[in-house]
Amino acid sequence: MTRILYIEDDEEIRDNVAELLSAEGFEPLLAATGEEGLEIALRSPPDLILCDISLPGMDGYAVIRAVSEYPQTETIPFIFVSARADRAEIRHGMNLGADDYVTKPFARAELLEAIRSRLSRTKTFAARAVRGSVPPDAPRPAPALEEPPADMPPGVVVRDPNMRALYEQLGRAAVGDISVLILGETGAGKEIVAREVHRRSKRSAAPFVALNCAALPENLLESELFGHEKGAFTGALQAQRGLLETADKGTVFLDELGEIPLAVQVKLLRAIEERKILRVGSRVEKSIDVRFVAATNRDLESDVDRGTFRADLFYRLSGFVVEVPPLRQRRAEIAPLARKFLADASRSLEREPPAIDAGAIEILEVYSWPGNVRELRNVMERAALLCSDDRLEARHLPTRLIDGGRVSAVPGELDLGGGSRGRDAGARDAGGDGSLREGVALAERDRIIGALAHCAGNQTQAASRLGISRRTLVSRLSEYALPRPRKRGA
């Protein structure tokens, strides 16, 4: 029976969740304090841990740090269940290595969905590892492509587990009218995510209207959003409905949200709070019925601290926050996206799409894609023009992709408990055949070794330096057959 540890100081909530878990066929393990929960987890590791943040003595953050320190508990799925709904709190919890975050008060179905989703992924990973039966230091093959989710619209590629989780979250957010804020780098696909929120919502039959807030100066942006009356300014020869009126009963997508000037932010905040707008040059308010979805590649919290973005507007638009990972973190999606873009470009050229050579695929998967999905689309459109036969090869790709995929050595070695292991030793262990895919694995392995060397074996500091959680670092150490390091002087 699947055993779930729930750490919660509120006895009523704890008992209710225990009853729910038992009814669903799970075996609940209960703890009222962080210390008690840690003791249970270490004595008899459960299959999953649910944990509140606000606990007497050892809080939830201390619990996840502690379980990450012990080999028997460091890989157990960990879900925070907390009344702390502040975005900074959620981000902090996820940065510590939490797998999910459920906010109180929660629906029973919501909690069960989070539990089953995480257990399902864990079991799938374990089953694949057993079926593989390969030495831990063997080169890793490319991840197998799974079928896209059945409810996805045609043409949308979702293969990466993190993207699948993101779309699962969107399903929860889309059903209501809560404002959604989409974070991510330029070109990562934020508008596609925004359109998916609209498609899954009760407003899907109404308009989806998008506006790039960085594309217009302040005076035109205000007019574009709210509309204007005839004669309101020079050139206003007739009255014009604004975007917020045009999108009635539908969804407004505000891209590049962080570029909105402060003066327009004030008026936008009023429109969101009161659901009324005032056209430029008018004294008569008009009611609006729209849902707001916004996107940005900026750190709006820092902008709020600097006073360049209004805190109240930020909180109004960040009711539900999702972050689209950059393409370099979604390697499983590079090849299918490349084929899709190549097919689209070939269709516009009225020709059959060529097959992509294996060598070209490896180059595409190694490249870091600073321009994300948008850059990949441009590369494939260019390649479609250069490729005159039925096969697209590496020579049809831009030189920067090949140069960008070259592996550079990371200086520094670290005593990992088995003597010095430099770059050459790592390559020999992996049975190096010189492939680009293996080069990426070796480069990542070397970066981990370099970070650990720089931090004198401190895994927490090394994970921070690498921009990953400590739990992810521990997983990578296992994946690359690197012994757990000993801190110098220990």
Side-chain angles (χ1 to χ4, degrees), residues 255-271:
D255 199 6
E256 303 294 349
L257 175 69
E259 306 301 325
I260 298 180
L262 279 169
V264 180
Q265 290 179 32
V266 175
K267 297 181 179 180
L268 178 60
L269 174 64
R270 185 171 183 274

mmCIF file of all heavy atoms in Angstrom, residues 255-271:
data_model
loop_
_atom_site.group_PDB
_atom_site.id
_atom_site.type_symbol
_atom_site.label_atom_id
_atom_site.label_comp_id
_atom_site.label_asym_id
_atom_site.label_seq_id
_atom_site.Cartn_x
_atom_site.Cartn_y
_atom_site.Cartn_z
ATOM 1 N N ASP A 255 0.852 41.247 -23.488
ATOM 2 C CA ASP A 255 2.225 40.767 -23.590
ATOM 3 C C ASP A 255 3.184 41.904 -23.243
ATOM 4 O O ASP A 255 2.861 43.075 -23.417
ATOM 5 C CB ASP A 255 2.490 40.268 -25.015
ATOM 6 C CG ASP A 255 3.699 39.356 -25.078
ATOM 7 O OD1 ASP A 255 4.254 39.028 -24.002
ATOM 8 O OD2 ASP A 255 4.089 38.973 -26.190
ATOM 9 N N GLU A 256 4.374 41.536 -22.749
ATOM 10 C CA GLU A 256 5.378 42.516 -22.307
ATOM 11 C C GLU A 256 4.768 43.473 -21.281
ATOM 12 O O GLU A 256 4.906 44.693 -21.360
ATOM 13 C CB GLU A 256 5.930 43.302 -23.511
ATOM 14 C CG GLU A 256 6.541 42.443 -24.595
ATOM 15 C CD GLU A 256 7.809 41.730 -24.145
ATOM 16 O OE1 GLU A 256 8.334 42.054 -23.062
ATOM 17 O OE2 GLU A 256 8.263 40.830 -24.873
ATOM 18 N N LEU A 257 4.110 42.897 -20.303
ATOM 19 C CA LEU A 257 3.400 43.685 -19.284
ATOM 20 C C LEU A 257 4.304 44.690 -18.586
ATOM 21 O O LEU A 257 3.889 45.812 -18.259
ATOM 22 C CB LEU A 257 2.798 42.726 -18.252
ATOM 23 C CG LEU A 257 2.108 43.353 -17.045
ATOM 24 C CD1 LEU A 257 0.825 44.047 -17.470
ATOM 25 C CD2 LEU A 257 1.815 42.293 -15.984
ATOM 26 N N GLY A 258 5.558 44.311 -18.339
ATOM 27 C CA GLY A 258 6.467 45.176 -17.593
ATOM 28 C C GLY A 258 6.822 46.463 -18.298
ATOM 29 O O GLY A 258 7.432 47.345 -17.681
ATOM 30 N N GLU A 259 6.450 46.596 -19.583
ATOM 31 C CA GLU A 259 6.782 47.805 -20.335
ATOM 32 C C GLU A 259 5.696 48.867 -20.258
ATOM 33 O O GLU A 259 5.851 49.948 -20.842
ATOM 34 C CB GLU A 259 7.045 47.445 -21.808
ATOM 35 C CG GLU A 259 8.080 46.357 -22.015
ATOM 36 C CD GLU A 259 9.436 46.715 -21.431
ATOM 37 O OE1 GLU A 259 9.795 47.911 -21.481
ATOM 38 O OE2 GLU A 259 10.119 45.810 -20.915
ATOM 39 N N ILE A 260 4.594 48.608 -19.568
ATOM 40 C CA ILE A 260 3.508 49.587 -19.485
ATOM 41 C C ILE A 260 3.949 50.769 -18.629
ATOM 42 O O ILE A 260 4.397 50.584 -17.491
ATOM 43 C CB ILE A 260 2.234 48.957 -18.888
ATOM 44 C CG1 ILE A 260 1.724 47.835 -19.785
ATOM 45 C CG2 ILE A 260 1.150 50.001 -18.696
ATOM 46 C CD1 ILE A 260 0.464 47.166 -19.274
ATOM 47 N N PRO A 261 3.824 52.006 -19.116
ATOM 48 C CA PRO A 261 4.202 53.182 -18.319
ATOM 49 C C PRO A 261 3.337 53.298 -17.062
ATOM 50 O O PRO A 261 2.192 52.830 -17.026
ATOM 51 C CB PRO A 261 3.945 54.356 -19.277
ATOM 52 C CG PRO A 261 3.932 53.746 -20.645
ATOM 53 C CD PRO A 261 3.400 52.364 -20.476
ATOM 54 N N LEU A 262 3.885 53.948 -16.045
ATOM 55 C CA LEU A 262 3.187 54.066 -14.766
ATOM 56 C C LEU A 262 1.827 54.742 -14.902
ATOM 57 O O LEU A 262 0.854 54.338 -14.253
ATOM 58 C CB LEU A 262 4.057 54.839 -13.763
ATOM 59 C CG LEU A 262 5.148 54.014 -13.067
ATOM 60 C CD1 LEU A 262 6.110 54.927 -12.320
ATOM 61 C CD2 LEU A 262 4.540 53.000 -12.105
ATOM 62 N N ALA A 263 1.747 55.771 -15.740
ATOM 63 C CA ALA A 263 0.473 56.491 -15.887
ATOM 64 C C ALA A 263 -0.619 55.574 -16.430
ATOM 65 O O ALA A 263 -1.781 55.654 -16.007
ATOM 66 C CB ALA A 263 0.665 57.698 -16.815
ATOM 67 N N VAL A 264 -0.259 54.710 -17.366
ATOM 68 C CA VAL A 264 -1.240 53.773 -17.929
ATOM 69 C C VAL A 264 -1.535 52.662 -16.933
ATOM 70 O O VAL A 264 -2.650 52.144 -16.876
ATOM 71 C CB VAL A 264 -0.726 53.201 -19.270
ATOM 72 C CG1 VAL A 264 -1.745 52.225 -19.864
ATOM 73 C CG2 VAL A 264 -0.440 54.322 -20.262
ATOM 74 N N GLN A 265 -0.548 52.303 -16.109
ATOM 75 C CA GLN A 265 -0.769 51.278 -15.088
ATOM 76 C C GLN A 265 -1.897 51.675 -14.144
ATOM 77 O O GLN A 265 -2.710 50.838 -13.738
ATOM 78 C CB GLN A 265 0.512 51.045 -14.284
ATOM 79 C CG GLN A 265 1.633 50.362 -15.043
ATOM 80 C CD GLN A 265 2.876 50.184 -14.173
ATOM 81 O OE1 GLN A 265 2.781 50.010 -12.960
ATOM 82 N NE2 GLN A 265 4.045 50.236 -14.789
ATOM 83 N N VAL A 266 -1.959 52.954 -13.795
ATOM 84 C CA VAL A 266 -3.003 53.435 -12.881
ATOM 85 C C VAL A 266 -4.381 53.203 -13.485
ATOM 86 O O VAL A 266 -5.299 52.703 -12.819
ATOM 87 C CB VAL A 266 -2.796 54.933 -12.585
ATOM 88 C CG1 VAL A 266 -3.948 55.460 -11.745
ATOM 89 C CG2 VAL A 266 -1.473 55.169 -11.871
ATOM 90 N N LYS A 267 -4.539 53.533 -14.767
ATOM 91 C CA LYS A 267 -5.840 53.379 -15.423
ATOM 92 C C LYS A 267 -6.177 51.907 -15.641
ATOM 93 O O LYS A 267 -7.344 51.512 -15.544
ATOM 94 C CB LYS A 267 -5.832 54.129 -16.748
ATOM 95 C CG LYS A 267 -5.649 55.634 -16.574
ATOM 96 C CD LYS A 267 -5.669 56.369 -17.896
ATOM 97 C CE LYS A 267 -5.503 57.876 -17.678
ATOM 98 N NZ LYS A 267 -5.527 58.623 -18.949
ATOM 99 N N LEU A 268 -5.169 51.106 -15.936
ATOM 100 C CA LEU A 268 -5.409 49.682 -16.123
ATOM 101 C C LEU A 268 -5.851 49.039 -14.812
ATOM 102 O O LEU A 268 -6.760 48.196 -14.793
ATOM 103 C CB LEU A 268 -4.142 49.002 -16.651
ATOM 104 C CG LEU A 268 -4.216 47.491 -16.861
ATOM 105 C CD1 LEU A 268 -5.304 47.147 -17.868
ATOM 106 C CD2 LEU A 268 -2.858 46.947 -17.325
ATOM 107 N N LEU A 269 -5.225 49.427 -13.698
ATOM 108 C CA LEU A 269 -5.603 48.895 -12.395
ATOM 109 C C LEU A 269 -7.071 49.201 -12.098
ATOM 110 O O LEU A 269 -7.821 48.333 -11.637
ATOM 111 C CB LEU A 269 -4.714 49.492 -11.305
ATOM 112 C CG LEU A 269 -5.090 49.123 -9.866
ATOM 113 C CD1 LEU A 269 -4.936 47.622 -9.636
ATOM 114 C CD2 LEU A 269 -4.235 49.906 -8.876
ATOM 115 N N ARG A 270 -7.493 50.412 -12.397
ATOM 116 C CA ARG A 270 -8.884 50.802 -12.144
ATOM 117 C C ARG A 270 -9.833 49.960 -13.000
ATOM 118 O O ARG A 270 -10.886 49.527 -12.545
ATOM 119 C CB ARG A 270 -9.068 52.283 -12.449
ATOM 120 C CG ARG A 270 -10.456 52.820 -12.116
ATOM 121 C CD ARG A 270 -10.492 54.333 -12.242
ATOM 122 N NE ARG A 270 -11.789 54.859 -11.866
ATOM 123 C CZ ARG A 270 -12.815 54.963 -12.710
ATOM 124 N NH1 ARG A 270 -12.670 54.578 -13.963
ATOM 125 N NH2 ARG A 270 -13.968 55.455 -12.290
ATOM 126 N N ALA A 271 -9.452 49.723 -14.253
ATOM 127 C CA ALA A 271 -10.296 48.916 -15.144
ATOM 128 C C ALA A 271 -10.432 47.490 -14.627
ATOM 129 O O ALA A 271 -11.502 46.880 -14.697
ATOM 130 C CB ALA A 271 -9.706 48.919 -16.547
#
